[in-house]
């Protein structure tokens, strides 16, 4: 018999079994899911980009903020 897939919660590291019963999947709870969302919203979590593109568009960002 195949063992159920287990994985750590990305928020707190609690070991979970991957089932469709968990509406907060891949998190263990709504709390961990919400803390992750807040981290992205506060830009504490980012997906690293290509430094070449970051440099290309950095002037555009400075221009946009100076007009407001």
């Amino acid at each position: 018999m195949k063992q159920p897939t287990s994985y750590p919660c990305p928020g707190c590291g609690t070991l979970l079994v991957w089932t469709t019963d968990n509406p907060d999947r891949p998190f263990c709870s709504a709390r961990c899911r919400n803390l992750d969302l807040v981290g992205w919203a506060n830009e504490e979590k980012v997906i690293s980009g290509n430094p070449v593109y970051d440099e290309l568009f950095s002037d555009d960002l400075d221009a946009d903020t100076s007009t407001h």
Side-chain angles (χ1 to χ4, degrees):
M1 180 185 269
K2 185 179 176 184
Q3 292 290 331
T5 302
S6 60
Y7 65 98
C9 170
C12 67
T14 300
L15 194 59
L16 304 166
V17 175
W18 189 270
T19 65
T20 56
D21 298 358
N22 181 0
D24 300 309
R25 196 179 48 208
F27 300 97
C28 66
S29 64
R31 180 182 182 277
C32 279
R33 182 181 41 142
N34 290 334
L35 287 173
D36 184 71
L37 177 62
V38 168
W40 285 103
N42 289 336
E43 297 182 359
E44 296 164 0
K45 298 182 179 197
V46 296
I47 298 173
S48 61
N50 187 330
V52 172
Y53 295 126
D54 292 343
E55 188 63 33
L56 284 173
F57 297 116
S58 63
D59 292 336
D60 293 340
L61 293 173
D62 292 339
D64 288 344
T65 57
S66 65
T67 60
H68 291 105

